[in-house]
Amino acid sequence: MTLKVSDIGEKELVRYIISHSRSITPDDTAITELGSTNLISTTDMLIQSRHFPENMSYFDMGFKAVTVNVSDLAAMGAEPLGFLLAIAMPKDLDLTHFKQIIDGVLKACIYYGIPLIGGDTNEADEIIITGTALGLAEKPIMKDTYDKGDLIAITGDIGLAALGFELDTLDNVYAKHALKPRAKLDEALILRDFATSATDITDGLASELYEIKKDGFGFMIYEEFLGISDEYKELSDQLNLDYLDLIFHVGEDFELLFTLSKENLEKLPIDCRVIGEVTDSDVIELTLENGFVERIENRGYEHYVSEQ
């Protein structure tokens, strides 16, 4: 039987590329020594039919293209250096819509303090935006440098975008998170002095937990610490959706998932939500509100999904 790319998924495809790349340190981004510091580089491709909801404006498409890349810089605690833009689009796209995309890109660059330093255009059947972000970090925050007993925390509420994608109405906090995501760059630059590890939540909390897990270590997450509102549960139920599935397996939150010592939590000058702790169980588990403990499934958003 011949394997297809859909059989192994996006993360394995990326690992295959990295395994054939020059000597770098891969994490949320590539890390390349550059004098007395490190060049932090990342790239992300967004395809209209897969990554932009139908009701997302052209401006917000451009803004999101910058956000997803800056979020990777934030996960490393990197200072933004520059942004490169490549955009492919149908030849009959209204020029006004193209300008709105570029306006979104430029406004996002100003918002994050990352200059647009170059780019390219091409033709395609739909809008495809590829961004490349560069940054600098003397001591990048890595994914797996935590210790047993460290606390697991997030910079804000998660699952809001996941629910927003399912709602028909736009005038609510959930749709705002789905259509106008923002990277946590300011928080990341503070976390450099406090976090023992970090990553950003793009493919779902469960997927990111498995991504940072190392042998011999485990995580215990507590449902009661996730801050899930009654409204969130009620809306999920009305849509016949499992609220925990939305929280753990959808993503697009762009919050930071990080670990820190209990001592540093008391010193941390920004708000965060502690959701669990690092253990030596070698498994990733969830303590439900009723006290039962269950394994968290290794599943998240995949750009390539097997049809089998």
Side-chain angles (χ1 to χ4, degrees):
M1 175 181 163
T2 302
L3 284 176
K4 297 179 174 60
V5 294
S6 61
D7 295 323
I8 63 174
E10 179 198 13
K11 291 185 184 296
E12 285 302 318
L13 294 175
V14 172
R15 290 189 183 100
Y16 180 82
I17 295 172
I18 291 175
S19 70
H20 291 79
S21 300
R22 58 161 289 177
S23 179
I24 59 172
T25 302
D27 199 271
D28 281 292
T29 68
I31 305 170
T32 309
E33 289 187 13
L34 186 66
S36 60
T37 187
N38 294 282
L39 175 67
I40 308 299
S41 53
T42 185
T43 188
D44 218 317
M45 179 186 297
L46 300 180
I47 301 172
Q48 184 175 7
S49 60
R50 287 179 173 269
H51 303 104
F52 300 132
E54 290 185 5
N55 49 9
M56 177 176 275
S57 70
Y58 290 99
F59 175 92
D60 288 332
M61 289 181 190
F63 206 110
K64 182 178 180 179
V66 181
T67 291
V68 297
N69 284 280
V70 170
S71 186
D72 284 337
L73 295 186
M76 306 301 296
E79 296 272 2
L81 182 62
F83 182 77
L84 293 156
L85 173 72
I87 177 170
M89 64 205 122
K91 60 182 179 181
D92 60 351
L93 180 71
D94 287 353
L95 181 59
T96 300
H97 295 159
F98 169 76
K99 290 182 177 180
Q100 289 171 348
I101 293 172
I102 300 305
D103 189 33
V105 170
L106 295 174
K107 290 296 194 305
C109 286
I110 293 172
Y111 180 83
Y112 295 117
I114 184 170
L116 180 63
I117 58 176
D120 192 19
T121 63
N122 213 320
E123 183 183 337
D125 293 334
E126 61 180 316
I127 296 170
I128 302 173
I129 307 176
T130 300
T132 299
L134 305 174
L136 296 174
E138 184 176 346
K139 294 181 179 179
I141 312 173
M142 306 301 288
K143 284 182 177 181
D144 59 357
T145 43
Y146 48 78
D147 291 311
K148 178 186 175 183
D150 280 355
L151 301 175
I152 302 170
I154 50 179
T155 49
D157 293 328
I158 57 175
L160 302 183
L163 185 55
F165 291 132
E166 302 292 338
L167 297 174
D168 294 327
T169 57
L170 302 180
D171 187 20
N172 55 73
V173 66
Y174 310 108
K176 178 181 178 181
H177 277 259
L179 300 176
K180 300 178 181 293
R182 296 294 183 265
K184 298 295 184 176
L185 182 61
D186 291 341
E187 291 85 345
L189 297 180
I190 293 173
L191 285 173
R192 291 184 300 188
D193 297 325
F194 298 91
T196 53
S197 69
T199 191
D200 62 331
I201 306 174
T202 56
D203 296 328
L205 178 57
S207 177
E208 306 304 347
L209 287 170
Y210 275 94
E211 189 70 14
I212 68 174
K213 184 189 176 305
K214 54 187 178 181
D215 290 343
F217 288 83
F219 306 126
M220 177 61 77
I221 307 299
Y222 298 91
E223 181 183 353
E224 64 178 310
F225 294 167
L226 292 173
I228 308 171
S229 69
D230 289 338
E231 179 185 75
Y232 191 97
K233 295 178 181 178
E234 291 169 3
L235 288 172
S236 300
D237 186 60
Q238 292 170 15
L239 295 167
N240 293 316
L241 297 170
D242 184 328
Y243 67 88
L244 287 176
D245 191 56
L246 291 174
I247 295 288
F248 280 96
H249 302 300
V250 178
E252 293 284 303
D253 292 303
F254 298 100
E255 297 291 342
L256 295 176
L257 169 69
F258 63 98
T259 58
L260 77 170
S261 67
K262 295 176 182 177
E263 294 76 16
N264 275 349
L265 177 64
E266 299 175 358
K267 304 174 186 175
L268 191 65
I270 59 173
D271 291 333
C272 72
R273 183 185 297 279
V274 174
I275 62 171
E277 58 191 336
V278 178
T279 69
D280 58 3
S281 66
D282 205 31
V283 294
I284 301 177
E285 299 173 302
L286 172 68
T287 298
L288 298 169
E289 288 181 338
N290 61 15
F292 287 100
V293 176
E294 63 179 32
R295 295 279 185 95
I296 297 175
E297 184 180 352
N298 185 7
R299 177 166 58 86
Y301 176 74
E302 282 279 3
H303 299 299
Y304 295 96
V305 180
S306 175
E307 297 176 353
Q308 297 183 354

